[in-house]
Amino acid sequence: METSPIDQAHAVADTLFDRDAAAYGDDLGRYHGHVHRVIGLVGLQSDVPDDLAYPLGVAAYYHDAAIWLDDTWDYLPPSSRRAVAELEGDAQQHGRLVADLIEEHHRVRAARSTDPLVESFRRADLTDVSRAVLAPGVSRSGYRDLVRRFPDTGFRRMLLGAFVRGVRADPWHPAPMLKL
């Protein structure tokens, strides 16, 4: 049976989680669920071509990973660098796309990239972070189905704690990942 590009992206992310599990400590389940909900939300909005399954899985895995892997709240640049460095073989041609997926996923406005996958990814992250209160392009029932498959085990509470630490570290710039 042939697997869909979204299922392939999930498998890529799981392989990376298996490799790096120790780096996430108690947050492993929280971030794991978020990554898989983002992948699923992209799939609810876009037809992902087969050749983008691997780059999508890599980008989804790394999109916030530098919080843990590099111990930084200003995580977009190192997350992007790690993701692009992870690409192998033919997928290396998608380095710019992977960088855009990560670097634009916290834009307040629509993505600058012309690739529709970048905007789908941005909206997918927004949908999950807002628990589908803001769910552009996704039905709430579709989101609930994803939460049943990939439970939320405190992801937003973890983000709130990280934000508070960011405020303490730099009160004038507590959310360096947000972009206009």
Side-chain angles (χ1 to χ4, degrees):
M1 184 170 128
E2 193 171 318
T3 59
S4 74
I6 293 300
D7 289 336
Q8 292 170 41
H10 284 302
V12 168
D14 278 339
T15 297
L16 296 168
F17 273 116
D18 288 346
R19 183 190 71 196
D20 298 334
Y24 297 97
D26 293 342
D27 291 333
L28 177 64
R30 294 175 188 106
Y31 186 53
H32 180 274
H34 172 62
V35 165
H36 285 292
R37 289 188 302 274
V38 167
I39 292 169
L41 287 162
V42 167
L44 291 175
Q45 298 176 68
S46 300
D47 289 327
V48 177
D50 287 338
D51 68 323
L52 295 183
Y54 172 67
L56 174 60
V58 168
Y61 171 78
Y62 279 107
H63 79 280
D64 297 335
I67 294 171
W68 298 273
L69 301 178
D70 294 289
D71 192 27
T72 182
W73 187 232
D74 191 6
Y75 56 86
L76 293 181
S79 290
S80 179
R81 283 191 298 274
R82 283 179 176 273
V84 170
E86 185 74 40
L87 297 174
E88 298 174 347
D90 291 342
Q92 289 175 333
Q93 69 180 328
H94 299 296
R96 181 71 258 156
L97 173 62
V98 167
D100 286 348
L101 288 167
I102 294 169
E103 292 166 10
E104 296 200 33
H105 86 272
H106 283 308
R107 285 186 58 77
V108 175
R109 298 185 192 133
R112 290 181 185 168
S113 172
T114 59
D115 192 305
L117 194 61
V118 177
E119 179 61 13
S120 293
F121 193 88
R122 185 192 73 80
R123 294 192 305 184
D125 187 73
L126 176 63
T127 298
D128 192 49
V129 168
S130 74
R131 193 177 276 146
V133 169
L134 302 172
V138 176
S139 71
R140 286 200 170 83
S141 64
Y143 179 72
R144 282 192 301 271
D145 290 344
L146 282 169
V147 172
R148 278 192 286 280
R149 184 173 173 199
F150 304 106
D152 180 349
T153 58
F155 178 69
R156 278 158 223 81
R157 190 172 41 251
M158 178 206 63
L159 283 181
L160 180 61
F163 179 74
V164 168
R165 288 189 301 277
V167 168
R168 287 183 189 139
D170 188 352
W172 300 110
H173 196 59
M177 76 297 294
L178 292 179
K179 310 292 179 206
L180 292 176

